[in-house]
C-alpha cells in the first residue's frame, strides 16, 4: 500500500514538473556542462556550474545534487555557499556513508550526557556548528530511517533534539542544507527505503551533474585549461 501511494505521488510530481518546467520548487532538473557549453544557457539550457550555483544561491531552497562519484558534487555545494548570503557563515561537509549508522545522528545533531555508554558530557553536532551557514550532506541516500526523520524535523521546524534529549531541550538553528547522492532516490522511495516527505523537502532545487564521458567534446578545452593553470 505504501509503495503504491508513493508511486502515485511521484507520478503526480512528475506531471507537475512537465506542466511547470520553469518553477524551481516543482523539481526542475538541470544538466550541468562545462567547457564548450559554458555560457550557452539561454539557447541550449546547458549551464556551467558557476552560473547554476549562483542561481541556486539566490534562494534558500534546499539543493539536491545527483551525480556519480567524481562529478564534483561537493564542489558544486561549495559554489552555492560562496555565492550565497551565507558565505560569511561556516561551510561544513559530511559524508553520511562514511559514518557508522548508529553514530550519524549524534554526529549531525549532537548528544546529551548519558545518551549512550560513552556519552560522558553533552556534545554539539554539525547542525549546531553550521548555524547561520551551510551544511553539505553527501550520500544522503545512506541515512537510516531514524536519521531521515530527524532531518525532516529540522527542515520543517528549524529545530531539533539532541540524541538522548527531551522536548524541553529542543535547539533552534538556521542552516541551509545542500544534499548529494549517487543513488536513485525516487526508486528508493518506491521501495520504502527513503521517506517521500524528506525527498520532497531536500529536492526543492535538484541538479544533475553529468559525467565527463557523456560530454567528450569538453575534454580538449579542459586539458587546455589544466595545462594553462600548470604552466601559467
Amino acid at each position: 500500500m505504501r509503495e503504491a501511494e508513493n508511486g502515485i505521488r511521484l507520478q503526480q510530481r512528475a506531471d507537475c514538473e512537465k506542466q511547470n518546467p520553469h518553477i524551481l520548487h516543482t523539481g526542475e532538473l538541470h544538466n550541468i556542462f562545462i567547457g564548450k557549453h559554458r555560457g550557452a544557457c539561454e539557447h541550449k539550457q546547458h549551464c556551467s556550474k558557476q552560473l547554476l550555483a549562483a542561481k541556486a544561491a539566490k534562494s534558500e531552497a534546499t539543493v539536491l545534487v545527483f551525480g556519480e562519484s567524481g562529478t564534483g558534487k561537493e564542489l558544486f555545494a561549495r559554489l552555492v555557499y560562496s555565492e550565497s548570503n551565507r558565505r560569511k557563515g561556516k561551510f561544513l561537509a559530511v559524508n553520511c556513508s562514511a559514518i557508522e549508522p548508529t553514530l550519524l545522528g549524534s554526529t549531525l545533531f549532537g548528544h546529551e550526557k548519558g545518551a549512550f555508554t560513552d556519552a560522558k558530557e553533552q556534545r554539539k553536532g554539525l547542525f549546531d556548528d553550521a548555524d547561520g551557514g551551510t551544511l553539505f550532506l553527501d550520500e544522503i541516500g545512506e541515512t537510516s530511517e531514524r536519521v531521515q526523520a530527524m532531518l525532516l524535523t529540522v527542515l520543517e521546524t528549524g529545530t531539533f533534539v539532541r540524541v538522548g534529549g527531551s522536548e524541553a531541550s529542543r535547539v533552534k538553528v538556521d542552516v541551509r542544507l545542500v544534499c548529494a547522492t549517487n543513488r536513485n532516490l525516487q526508486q528508493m522511495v518506491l521501495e520504502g527505503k527513503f521517506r517521500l516527505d524528506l525527498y520532497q523537502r531536500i529536492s526543492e532545487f535538484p541538479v544533475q551533474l553529468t559525467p565527463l564521458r557523456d560530454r567528450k567534446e569538453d575534454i580538449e578545452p579542459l586539458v587546455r585549461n589544466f595545462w594553462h593553470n600548470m604552466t601559467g
Side-chain angles (χ1 to χ4, degrees):
M1 178 66 71
R2 180 180 177 184
E3 291 184 6
E5 291 177 351
N6 288 343
I8 292 172
R9 291 177 184 176
L10 284 174
Q11 185 58 53
Q12 290 174 338
R13 176 173 178 147
D15 293 341
C16 181
E17 291 170 9
K18 290 179 181 178
Q19 296 171 10
N20 304 279
H22 61 288
I23 302 178
L24 296 179
H25 65 260
T26 63
E28 179 186 8
L29 284 176
H30 303 272
N31 289 316
I32 310 305
F33 295 85
I34 52 180
K36 290 184 179 179
H37 292 302
R38 188 180 300 260
C41 302
E42 292 183 3
H43 304 290
K44 297 184 179 180
Q45 295 184 351
H46 296 320
C47 299
S48 69
K49 289 180 180 178
Q50 291 83 354
L51 290 175
L52 187 56
K55 188 176 182 180
K58 290 179 181 179
S59 74
E60 283 292 307
T62 304
V63 178
L64 176 59
V65 188
F66 297 92
E68 300 174 10
S69 297
T71 51
K73 296 188 292 293
E74 183 172 344
L75 172 61
F76 184 83
R78 289 182 180 276
L79 286 171
V80 172
Y81 159 75
S82 64
E83 293 288 339
S84 73
N85 292 331
R86 293 176 177 269
R87 57 185 174 273
K88 292 184 179 180
K90 292 182 179 180
F91 176 90
L92 301 179
V94 60
N95 187 325
C96 297
S97 66
I99 300 175
E100 197 70 32
T102 56
L103 298 178
L104 184 57
S106 176
T107 300
L108 294 175
F109 300 100
H111 61 255
E112 298 290 350
K113 180 179 179 181
F116 45 85
T117 304
D118 295 327
K120 298 179 180 179
E121 60 183 9
Q122 184 193 75
R123 178 168 296 181
K124 294 182 178 180
L126 292 176
F127 271 92
D128 284 291
D129 294 338
D131 192 20
T134 302
L135 179 59
F136 174 58
L137 301 183
D138 197 8
E139 303 306 343
I140 193 170
E142 306 301 324
T143 53
S144 66
E145 186 174 345
R146 177 168 173 264
V147 170
Q148 289 176 31
M150 297 172 76
L151 288 171
L152 180 64
T153 298
V154 75
L155 283 170
E156 289 183 336
T157 69
T159 66
F160 65 89
V161 176
R162 295 192 180 96
V163 175
S166 63
E167 284 296 320
S169 59
R170 184 169 288 277
V171 181
K172 185 175 183 179
V173 290
D174 176 23
V175 176
R176 201 248 179 109
L177 272 188
V178 179
C179 305
T181 183
N182 61 10
R183 302 187 66 177
N184 186 336
L185 291 188
Q186 287 192 346
Q187 184 60 37
M188 291 181 67
V189 168
L190 292 174
E191 295 172 355
K193 297 178 180 178
F194 199 87
R195 296 181 63 124
L196 175 61
D197 45 8
L198 178 59
Y199 175 75
Q200 292 173 330
R201 282 283 181 174
I202 65 175
S203 60
E204 293 173 334
F205 195 112
V207 174
Q208 178 72 49
L209 297 186
T210 309
L212 187 59
R213 68 174 179 274
D214 291 339
R215 43 190 175 84
K216 296 179 181 179
E217 66 274 21
D218 288 337
I219 294 178
E220 182 181 342
L222 283 171
V223 171
R224 286 202 303 267
N225 184 62
F226 293 148
W227 179 256
H228 175 76
N229 290 338
M230 291 175 61
T231 60

